[in-house]
Amino acid sequence: INAEYMGQKKMEKTGHLRAVTIKLKGESDKIQMRDMLTFTKEELLKMDEIFGKEWLNENPVILDNMELVLNLSKYEIETEDLPFFTYLYNSPLKLEEIISKEASNVQRLNRFQKVALALGIQCAKPHIEKVRDSLYASNKILVLVDLNGTLVCKSEKELAGPRAYDIKLKRNIFYLRPGYKILLKKLLDHPRCLFAFYSSMIQSNIIPIKALLFRDPELKKVENRCCKKIFDRKYNTPDPLGKDEHATVRDLNKVWVDPELKSKFGPENTVLLDSDEGKAKNHLSNLFRVFPYVEDFVMNNTLNNTYYMGAIAEYMLALLNKADDIPDYLMKNPFDPDEDKLKQEDPEFAKIVEEQKLKLPKEIKKEEQKAPAVIKPMEDVKKEKPIEVKKQSDNIMEAMENVSLQHQ
């Protein structure tokens, strides 16, 4: 800021500093009165450095107030927050009315809360919490959680290693994933979460696994908060490109029209926790991909810590507290667990994640959401001209990438 301090203006009645007059040093040398709320955080802090306390030294009331304004930096107040700053600053006695009217979604309510903290308005807290309860009740998020690979590992045989299996159903054996209790408890405790199981298994197999998951006393207390409906194989669609004739893909459209959900859910308020990106390929913008819990992990006792599932739980709590649009939130806030903690608790799993360079969830570009890639049938791929590798030493990596892309 290349300016000279000229004066300041106080609000009537309160005497609080409302605006400052600065002389801009430039071609015109004109004097400008600017509302404090139009300054950026950087400008306010820079002005404090240039002018020192000289421009704030008229009385303690002004000084205290300016320190509140500089407090905007601490709470990361943004341009979008300034209207709420004005409401709360000028009309503190009408808090409940203002918050109820203006906080129309969770993001706006969070902005109100942030500004109230910056201004030190403690009496705003009960009003904000009251509106938050109402918003959570009327703007729930449907959290669909897969079983195989996400919460359990399914095997056709008993696996070697230190782990004993948890349940056997017909020809299949199931192992519960370490840390699953943390994730389920956090989700079911949140008032905005409508939790439901979503699997390609038939319901007769899902029910005993669900009973096994909720045998823990703490989870048993919150089991009644689950959606009564179990979205089983009927809510999936056959996958003609799958590995066998029984392969299916998720079909959220079948879920959203189910009478149990009363037409309250769609792409904007549904999140799918699934370990199989292929099964969720028609709904990638709603997918939070969980690293799959597979047979090798069971046999080697890998991924036997709770940090990873706990990190997912914390991410989901932030999503439930902040998101108004699920695809937008997932795209802008990729899951990024602490690598050091991963290495500390389970070095083998951390190594696998590092090797695969897996960042969860996968970021989906907006154009990809609108136009999903067309997958070529395998017979078409075979007809295409094979790739010629003239110099193996120079071109092998490029050729491998091309083969991979052609196969996709």
Side-chain angles (χ1 to χ4, degrees), residues 142 144 198 229-239 248-263 265 283:
L142 178 62
L144 298 169
Y198 188 23
K229 190 78 175 183
I230 293 176
F231 298 101
D232 59 2
R233 190 173 184 82
K234 297 192 298 293
Y235 293 85
N236 293 262
T237 297
D239 183 6
T248 60
V249 291
R250 307 294 183 221
D251 190 346
L252 290 179
N253 294 302
K254 291 183 177 182
V255 173
W256 292 327
V257 299
D258 189 272
E260 180 71 25
L261 300 182
K262 300 177 181 178
S263 302
F265 298 95
H283 303 284

Side-chain angles (χ1 to χ4, degrees), residues 16 23 40 116 189 203 212 217 251 392:
H16 287 180
K23 182 178 180 182
T40 65
D189 276 342
Q203 189 153 163
L212 182 66
D251 190 346
Q392 184 175 3

Side-chain angles (χ1 to χ4, degrees), residues 110-121:
N110 289 337
R111 290 190 186 282
F112 257 107
Q113 184 176 34
K114 186 166 59 170
V115 172
L117 285 171
L119 289 172
I121 304 176

Side-chain angles (χ1 to χ4, degrees), residues 191-323:
R192 197 182 181 198
C193 173
L194 178 59
F195 179 99
F197 289 108
Y198 188 23
S199 173
S200 56
M201 290 190 279
I202 59 175
Q203 189 153 163
S204 60
N205 285 340
I206 296 175
I207 291 174
I209 296 175
K210 179 186 174 184
L212 182 66
L213 290 168
F214 284 96
R215 67 183 176 182
D216 179 79
E218 289 300 311
L219 288 178
K220 196 69 178 175
K221 294 177 184 177
V222 293
E223 184 179 4
N224 62 344
R225 298 177 190 171
C226 288
C227 178
K228 294 178 181 178
K229 190 78 175 183
I230 293 176
F231 298 101
D232 59 2
R233 190 173 184 82
K234 297 192 298 293
Y235 293 85
N236 293 262
T237 297
D239 183 6
L241 299 178
K243 59 183 179 181
D244 57 47
E245 60 184 22
H246 303 294
T248 60
V249 291
R250 307 294 183 221
D251 190 346
L252 290 179
N253 294 302
K254 291 183 177 182
V255 173
W256 292 327
V257 299
D258 189 272
E260 180 71 25
L261 300 182
K262 300 177 181 178
S263 302
K264 292 182 178 180
F265 298 95
E268 72 287 345
N269 58 358
T270 301
V271 58
L272 175 61
L273 269 66
D274 204 313
S275 61
D276 191 338
E277 193 173 33
K279 280 186 176 292
K281 62 187 177 184
N282 294 333
H283 303 284
L284 291 178
S285 59
N286 291 87
L287 173 67
F288 179 101
R289 184 172 180 266
V290 180
F291 202 100
Y293 187 53
V294 294
E295 292 183 355
D296 284 347
F297 289 164
V298 176
M299 290 188 289
N300 299 328
N301 211 28
T302 305
L303 201 57
N304 196 30
N305 66 81
T306 59
Y307 168 72
Y308 180 70
M309 295 299 274
I312 294 176
E314 292 304 317
Y315 179 92
M316 289 301 300
L317 288 185
L319 179 147
L320 291 166
N321 286 331
K322 299 176 182 179

